[in-house]
Amino acid sequence: MATAVSLSLVTAAAAAGKRFVLSSPSLSFSSFRRPTTHLRAAISSTRRRAAASSSRIVATIAVGDKLPNATLSYFDPADGELKTVTVAELTAGKKAVLFAVPGAFTPTCSQKHLPGFAEKAGELRAKGVATVACVSVNDAFVMRAWKESLGLGDDVVLLSDGNLELTRAMGVEMDLSDNPVGLGVRSRRYALLADDGVVKVLNLEEGGAFTTSSAEEMLKALE
């Protein structure tokens, strides 16, 4: 009843063109508070994930395509100097295996992917592969430190795609900015065989999964 009377007074005052201050606690809007910081963060995160799923990157590279001629950097083991190489130079007139990892020093990349190719590099060369190279969206200094930390030889060339030139040209980037680890934009995990720059085998993983891009799977494809 008190609420109905209060509303009637508001209506009458408005009709008379008078200012009216409502003091009835029964119509207080104090309970309609803005979302808390945690709730706003959760809503924002949900929206980002929804946007990411709706604009999912689809690889633009496929079997039969020519690899884009991106420029990559590396430290030459012969003289220790920082150098660059193009994909065309890596693959022209020969068979080459390129495999990509989401990040240097990350667990699966360090424990399985890169060591697996280093271990099988000799077998790959016995099947006619001239170059085995690992690509990552890390700078060349990080790639050198990663190689040294694993105690690897020179059977696998570690290449930096720090500017995502090759990764974006192939359409294999993935945005991990929403991950609290702070990885940013990285490459999906893959392994490919190119013959004179043309993709013959492409084992592209979903995100950072490790199921088909191993050295063993590449050896099977070369049988």
Side-chain angles (χ1 to χ4, degrees), residues 6 12 19 21 23 48 81 99 102 105 130 135 149 155 168 223:
S6 298
R19 296 179 62 190
V21 179
S23 60
R48 285 197 300 271
E81 295 295 320
F99 65 98
F105 291 100
V135 180
S149 74
D155 291 328
R168 284 188 169 136
E223 291 178 354

Side-chain angles (χ1 to χ4, degrees), residues 4 9 16 30 59 90 98 111 115 125 132 162 175 177-179 182 189 207:
L9 290 173
S30 61
L90 278 172
L98 273 65
Q111 296 167 12
R125 289 195 171 89
V132 181
D175 190 352
S177 300
D178 198 33
N179 190 309
R189 193 187 304 278

Side-chain angles (χ1 to χ4, degrees), residues 193 201 203 216-223:
L193 170 69
V201 177
N203 295 333
E216 290 81 3
E217 289 298 319
M218 185 58 68
L219 283 168
K220 291 178 184 178
L222 286 166
E223 291 178 354

Side-chain angles (χ1 to χ4, degrees), residues 57-61 68 70-72 87 100-101 135-138 160-174 185-188 190:
I57 298 295
V58 177
T60 56
I61 195 73
T71 299
L72 307 168
V87 173
V101 297
V135 180
S136 182
V137 182
N138 293 102
S160 165
D161 187 27
N163 293 328
L164 289 99
E165 185 179 344
L166 176 62
T167 300
R168 284 188 169 136
M170 290 174 57
V172 293
E173 69 267 36
M174 59 177 178
V185 179
R186 295 299 177 107
S187 172
R188 287 170 61 182
Y190 65 81

Side-chain angles (χ1 to χ4, degrees), residues 31-162:
S31 61
F32 293 89
R33 297 174 181 173
R34 297 181 63 184
T36 64
T37 301
H38 293 300
L39 180 56
R40 289 198 298 271
I43 293 172
S44 178
S45 177
T46 300
R47 287 173 177 170
R48 285 197 300 271
R49 287 196 297 269
S53 63
S54 63
S55 57
R56 184 177 177 181
I57 298 295
V58 177
T60 56
I61 195 73
V63 172
D65 291 345
K66 187 85 172 178
L67 284 171
N69 193 25
T71 299
L72 307 168
S73 61
Y74 69 104
F75 277 95
D76 190 338
D79 56 19
E81 295 295 320
L82 179 62
K83 298 181 180 179
T84 60
V85 64
T86 65
V87 173
E89 291 169 339
L90 278 172
T91 61
K94 57 189 174 184
K95 290 181 180 179
V97 168
L98 273 65
F99 65 98
V101 297
F105 291 100
T106 55
T108 301
C109 307
S110 298
Q111 296 167 12
K112 298 179 181 180
H113 206 179
L114 175 55
F117 272 97
E119 180 183 341
K120 301 293 184 181
E123 294 179 48
L124 288 167
R125 289 195 171 89
K127 292 183 177 292
V129 175
T131 300
V132 181
C134 174
V135 180
S136 182
V137 182
N138 293 102
D139 63 68
F141 296 92
V142 169
M143 296 296 279
R144 179 177 63 177
W146 188 33
K147 175 184 175 181
E148 292 173 350
S149 74
L150 294 174
L152 299 180
D154 300 326
D155 291 328
V156 177
V157 182
L158 270 65
L159 301 172
S160 165
D161 187 27

